[in-house]
Amino acid sequence: MTVTEDAATLAPAKEVGQPRRRKEDARLITGRTTWTDNMVLPGMLHLAVVRSPVAHARITGIDVSAAQQAPNVVAVFTGRDLAEEQGSIPCAWPVTPDMVNPGHPSIAVDQVNHVGEAVAIVVGRSKAAATDAVELVDVDYEILPPVLDMEAAVAEGADLVHDQLESNTSYHFVFDAGEAGTGADTEQAFADAEVVVSRRLVQQRLIPAFMEPRSVVVQPQGDNFTMWSATQIPHVLRVMLAMVTGVPEHKLRIIAPDVGGGFGGKLQVNPEEVLALLLARRLGKPVKWTETRSESLMAAHHGRGQVQFIDIASDREGNVKGLRVRLLADMGAYLRLITPGVPALGAFMFPGIYKFPAYRFECDGVFTNKVPTDAYRGAGRPEATFAIERIMDELAVELGMDPLELRRKNWIQAEEFPFTTVAGLEYDSGDYEQATQKALELLGYDELRAEQQRRRESGDPVQLGIGFSTFTEMCGLAPSRVLGSLSYGAGGWESASIRMLPTGKVEVVTGSTPHGQGHETAWSQLVADQLGVPFEDVEVLHGDTAVSPRGMDTYGSRSLVVGGTAVVKAAEKVVAKARKVAAHLLEASEDDLEFADGKFSVRGTPGATVGIQEIALAVFAAHNYPEDVEPSIDAEATFDPVNFSFPHGTHLCAMEVDTDTGMVKIRKYACVDDVGTVVNPLIVEGQVHGGLAQGIAQALYEEAVYDADGNLTTGSFVDYLVPSAADLPHFDTANTVHAAPGNPIGAKGVGEAGCIASTPAVVNAALDAVRHLGVSDILMPLTPERVWRAIHQGGDGGDRATAGTNAYGGAQTESTAGVSTPASSLGGDR
Amino acid sequence: MIPAPFAYARPTTVDEALQAIAEGGEDVKILAGGQSLIPVMRLRLAAPETVVDLSKVSELRGVREDGDSLVIGAMTTHADVVRDPLIQQYAPLIAEATETVADRQVRHRGTFGGALAHADPAGDLPAVALALDAEFVIAGQNGRRTVPAADFFVDYLTTALEEGELLVEIRVPKLTGQWGMRYEKFNRVAQAWSIVAVAAAVRREDGHIAEARIGLTNMGPTPLRARATEAALAGAAATPEAIAEAARSAAEGTSPSSDLNAQADYREHLVQVLTRRAVSAAAGL
Ligand SMILES: Cc1cc2nc3c(=O)[nH]c(=O)nc-3n(C[C@H](O)[C@H](O)[C@H](O)COP(=O)(O)OP(=O)(O)OC[C@H]3O[C@@H](n4cnc5c(N)ncnc54)[C@H](O)[C@@H]3O)c2cc1C
């Protein structure tokens, strides 16, 4: 990859820009670290959750007596036992004033609303004892009709997920540019348009599938509780758990030790976290719960899940005139932390990089009898990017225009930044043409187009296509005031502090809790440059509310942009404090001091220097320091951005489609991302690769499939297909650099870019390969069967059979095995 | 997840193993490489009373020649099969198919005999054994018996193995003459089971196809032979047209299932394409 260093704001950059290997990786990769499930405490009890095997039912009885008498079982609790104290899983994002929230019990009391919902909890002296007793809990269910399909759920007379509610709609959220004053009247724009293209697109449900399963340990000590949890959000969790359970916030300490991935899937207040805290309080003993992979797939929140109706208006020359989006967004059975907010966040990204004069967005949040959805890498923005990048291709086809020419004609020009879009966002910086040119070169675009032509003419059974995605995203979540205006329950600032130790070593405390991103390395690079100390002298502390008391954690590509900036600001304060001490020690005026490479020196007096690490010792001894200051150069800072940052890029995919079998194969993938200033090119490239893998997986492999009874049939990795390196192509990546004006680092965020951009590039490429055979859409994931059907039978490839494969004797999840009905078609030959 | 409790025996000879099986109670399971059995136990789809682990029975490991046959011990791992010189020489189809099984880690533990005894219709090796007319040597309390592949695979996950019996070895006739072989596997991600696969062995004589043996994976509850295609190929010209024509009947007599990866009609289509490809490659086209 190449990095263009034309706009680095931290000159002279010594560490920033270096491809440092991540200092945390050795322990993460070898597992010689404190994963939550590695925790062993004296007297610790183990929890196992009895989960509903049915999607929708009234609980008419639970018999726990056999389980209670099982060997080494301490206690068994049902929802009734905990009903008074469990409160509701919090929803921090009421997107409309009249949003309907039915409440979310951590453990079902009267009714279950999705397969995998907790109905009882066994406490055992060992994990095995608790697990064995799960099967002894006997629950009687009075089955209710499951509500699974969103379009059916919002139809007249639909069965209800929550029968105390009037409908399955939680909210109706509208953003209308005309009403907001950020654009023209959308209905008028469509009425006047020469060309209108409309499509119904589907964003399937996905499962975050982080590597480390969720795990939680709670230790009571007097009236205090310490919780270790595999969470992305220890700080948010502390506040929320205090509010839900009534354990006072100052009596609750949360530790996120090393955490093995999250992708938004651990941006949650999990029912099991609430239950572990309640049971530790009740029993007065430490408890642990660690999920199985089957539980994780079934009961941890899912992502995506939208039906998108999108209309685009333009004139015959291809100048876009208006965009209209109507979404059905699958909430699942309940609202979790930011369930309703995910599609609402996406609302602002549908216009993409294009200059639409008019825009209207409407979204219905719809309840279904499935596990709740919530954040998953990109959260709202991949859905929006997919829709706009797909519809731009459809419009190009309608107009008979080259899809790149259409994009060029409508995208914001480099000289127009900062640019306020029809959705009211102020895009900060970038150059779409430059990134696109570079990506075309990387791909070898002209040659591939020529080959595509040859294959078409010769009627080759393997056809070739090229797909574009010229995307942007909003990152650096988030300006607190903007979050407030969107009714989000918290702010978007971040906090950092720096402690100068007597030996000159540096402790950096960050509120942005990592779970695999490489914060320890990047923050060390930032601090090494700011303080002029060696990279190795910096230690980064995080993830413990007692060590890092203030923070908003890690999600939304915010850590470097917001959390890294807080670190830089804290370092600036350290230098300012040290300057006073240096002036005192050097008997010079502060104004005559220069600070470079970690040393203060007196201008024009060679040899009169003192290092910042020496100053640390001097203030520790505190024998000799200025009268008017405290003997410390430690500092802390909180940074609240005033705007989002807007990474952008051009992703190009060349795809081979075997028309005999429908198998698709990525021939080449090239992307050029502008993520602002690059602090560590290795980390940036790693984030892009991981994001691409997940975005490509949405296009080709992954889908959470439920059968007609609401059983999750992709209940193991046999059927929920996560691709490995063997299934992915080589990635040709590069960057352009337009520094973000909104923070001193100039960084825009890279955590989600690959995931957001790649999905439409891949689908557009497959369609480009077979468009001449009459195919205009294929549902995701593009299974070979769907591609083959679309080519040979028309349509979008249609629904997949819902039965899991028969490998492993039909590897259903524990709780779904054996509850099929004829309608759920559990499989051909079982 | 944690399997239900079970008793465990680890014999070192076939006789000891048979003894342990006889004494193991109602529900005894034999453990080979554990790559299918352990997941099923962890998911609690199986909860045997006793598990008899064959990993220390060294007489069950390895490949040898016995006259016109290759003899493959049931406990020979996939990894050992892939690099065995005798298999490379006389039955490269087995090695080719085994290389497509799962990933390195699974191939290091999983065994040839375990995969056949498991009789997963999506597993790759049953169709290969069927195509090569392998024979299964089974040991029981009353001595040994030999079952031809055509009778070994009875139904979904069901074989001719009776309670108390053990698969000891698999005898594969050495193929002599001008044979070519090919395993065509169709799956979505690298380490996955076959959606459909075709094992083909083709003998050529004077520019013609003298004989073709074609085994089908995952086209029904058991592995199948594509008899109609085999018949059409016997004596046919070794041309793309003749092979394509013969491959059109590859789905005859199959009864594939419908699942997430493929509905039955698509499997019937796939098997024709894959048969054409496998036979063409095996015939050297
Ligand atoms: C991730 C993964 C991917 C896989 N992908 C594939 C694939 O692509 N293709 C494929 O073909 N397979 C695949 N497999 C299965 C693999 O080939 C297994 O090794 C094989 O199916 C079983 O072999 P095993 O030795 O592990 O048997 P085990 O799991 O130990 O046993 C399987 C069954 O056979 C019985 N059994 C074993 N040995 C004997 C014996 N000597 N006599 C009587 N009964 C016996 C056992 O009791 C059990 O019921 C995969 C497995 C995994 C975990």
Side-chain angles (χ1 to χ4, degrees), chain A residues 68-198:
Chain A
Q68 247 156 2
Q69 282 146 32
N72 283 315
V73 166
V74 173
V76 183
F77 297 95
T78 66
R80 277 259 160 268
D81 300 324
L82 299 165
E84 298 304 311
E85 53 189 297
Q86 69 169 327
S88 168
I89 294 291
C91 175
W93 205 335
V95 290
T96 61
D98 57 355
M99 181 185 86
V100 175
N101 182 355
H104 184 346
S106 289
I107 181 166
V109 180
D110 305 311
Q111 185 168 321
V112 290
N113 290 305
H114 66 86
V115 164
E117 188 167 355
V119 291
I121 189 155
V122 181
V123 187
R125 288 202 177 80
S126 71
K127 187 172 176 174
T131 305
D132 285 345
V134 163
E135 289 173 4
L136 302 175
V137 175
D138 194 9
V139 187
D140 292 327
Y141 297 101
E142 181 192 319
I143 305 287
L144 300 168
V147 178
L148 301 167
D149 177 87
M150 280 195 283
E151 282 161 298
V154 296
E156 197 66 35
D159 292 319
L160 295 177
V161 175
H162 300 281
D163 56 12
Q164 77 275 25
L165 304 183
E166 280 165 22
S167 78
N168 291 316
T169 303
S170 170
Y171 65 85
H172 183 73
F173 176 92
V174 179
F175 174 83
D176 188 291
E179 286 162 21
T182 53
D185 183 82
T186 307
E187 294 317 310
Q188 195 60 48
F190 274 86
D192 296 344
E194 292 171 353
V195 179
V196 173
V197 175
S198 301

Side-chain angles (χ1 to χ4, degrees), chain A residues 87-439:
Chain A
S88 168
I89 294 291
C91 175
W93 205 335
V95 290
T96 61
D98 57 355
M99 181 185 86
V100 175
N101 182 355
H104 184 346
S106 289
I107 181 166
V109 180
D110 305 311
Q111 185 168 321
V112 290
N113 290 305
H114 66 86
V115 164
E117 188 167 355
V119 291
I121 189 155
V122 181
V123 187
R125 288 202 177 80
S126 71
K127 187 172 176 174
T131 305
D132 285 345
V134 163
E135 289 173 4
L136 302 175
V137 175
D138 194 9
V139 187
D140 292 327
Y141 297 101
E142 181 192 319
I143 305 287
L144 300 168
V147 178
L148 301 167
D149 177 87
M150 280 195 283
E151 282 161 298
V154 296
E156 197 66 35
D159 292 319
L160 295 177
V161 175
H162 300 281
D163 56 12
Q164 77 275 25
L165 304 183
E166 280 165 22
S167 78
N168 291 316
T169 303
S170 170
Y171 65 85
H172 183 73
F173 176 92
V174 179
F175 174 83
D176 188 291
E179 286 162 21
T182 53
D185 183 82
T186 307
E187 294 317 310
Q188 195 60 48
F190 274 86
D192 296 344
E194 292 171 353
V195 179
V196 173
V197 175
S198 301
R199 288 286 182 276
R200 172 187 176 277
L201 301 172
V202 180
Q203 282 277 318
Q204 78 270 36
R205 262 186 182 246
L206 299 175
I207 304 180
F210 29 74
M211 195 177 289
E212 180 204 14
R214 295 176 301 157
S215 181
V216 56
V217 171
V218 183
Q219 179 172 43
Q221 274 168 317
D223 62 352
N224 278 261
F225 297 88
T226 301
M227 173 184 286
W228 290 261
S229 184
T231 180
Q232 289 175 230
I233 52 160
H235 299 93
V236 176
L237 186 60
R238 183 191 195 200
V239 180
M240 292 297 173
L241 284 176
M243 298 206 278
V244 171
T245 64
V247 173
E249 191 181 352
H250 61 304
K251 303 285 183 187
L252 188 56
R253 172 181 176 191
I254 312 278
I255 301 172
D258 276 331
V259 174
F263 310 115
K266 292 174 183 167
L267 167 46
Q268 193 53 271
V269 178
N270 282 294
E272 296 84 355
E273 288 166 328
V274 173
L275 293 171
L277 181 55
L278 295 181
L279 294 186
R281 178 165 72 180
R282 210 180 251 228
L283 299 165
K285 293 233 168 146
V287 300
K288 182 200 272 188
W289 172 79
T290 301
E291 70 184 348
T292 66
R293 182 59 67 181
S294 308
E295 280 182 290
S296 190
L297 296 175
M298 183 168 58
H301 74 243
H302 291 179
R304 317 275 194 270
Q306 292 187 355
V307 178
Q308 310 176 318
F309 300 91
I310 176 160
D311 311 317
I312 191 168
S314 85
D315 64 20
R316 292 221 180 281
E317 287 70 50
N319 298 299
V320 295
K321 297 294 183 193
L323 185 68
R324 198 163 50 194
V325 176
R326 193 165 66 78
L327 296 187
L328 297 178
D330 190 353
M331 305 285 100
Y334 302 107
L335 304 180
R336 286 194 185 168
L337 191 60
I338 57 166
T339 302
V342 170
L345 184 66
F348 301 93
M349 289 320 301
F350 279 85
I353 62 170
Y354 310 110
K355 294 183 277 186
F356 282 98
Y359 172 52
R360 181 176 169 86
F361 172 93
E362 291 177 60
C363 172
D364 285 311
V366 182
F367 292 117
T368 57
N369 288 113
K370 300 179 183 175
V371 77
T373 59
D374 207 304
Y376 174 50
R377 203 169 190 173
R381 291 155 292 161
E383 297 91 320
T385 302
F386 178 78
I388 184 66
E389 289 304 299
R390 282 282 300 109
I391 200 80
M392 287 303 277
D393 265 31
E394 297 303 309
L395 177 61
V397 170
E398 179 71 27
L399 294 168
M401 261 176 99
D402 179 85
L404 185 53
E405 273 324 299
L406 178 68
R407 285 172 168 81
R408 253 196 198 110
K409 198 167 205 152
N410 290 290
W411 71 38
I412 299 155
Q413 303 295 318
E415 61 277 11
E416 292 176 293
F417 288 98
F419 183 91
T420 302
T421 73
V422 72
L425 295 175
E426 190 191 279
Y427 289 4
D428 51 1
S429 67
D431 185 338
Y432 304 142
E433 180 63 43
Q434 189 193 7
T436 301
Q437 278 307 335
K438 219 167 163 172

Side-chain angles (χ1 to χ4, degrees), chain A residues 718 808, chain B residues 21 28-39 52 54 60 74-76 78 97 100-103 106-107 109-120 122-126 159 161 165-168 183 185 187 190-194 217:
Chain A
V718 174
Y808 279 7
Chain B
I21 295 167
V28 184
K29 271 280 174 196
I30 294 164
L31 177 72
Q35 298 304 295
S36 295
L37 182 60
I38 289 178
V52 177
L54 299 185
L60 290 177
M75 286 297 289
T76 311
H78 298 316
T100 72
V101 170
D103 51 40
V106 172
R107 290 196 295 272
R109 289 199 161 269
T111 65
F112 191 57
L116 295 168
H118 189 50
D120 184 339
D124 293 296
L125 301 173
T159 66
L161 284 163
E165 286 189 324
L166 192 64
L167 177 60
V168 177
Y183 192 67
K185 173 163 173 170
N187 59 4
Q191 87 286 5
W193 280 260
S194 290
T217 298

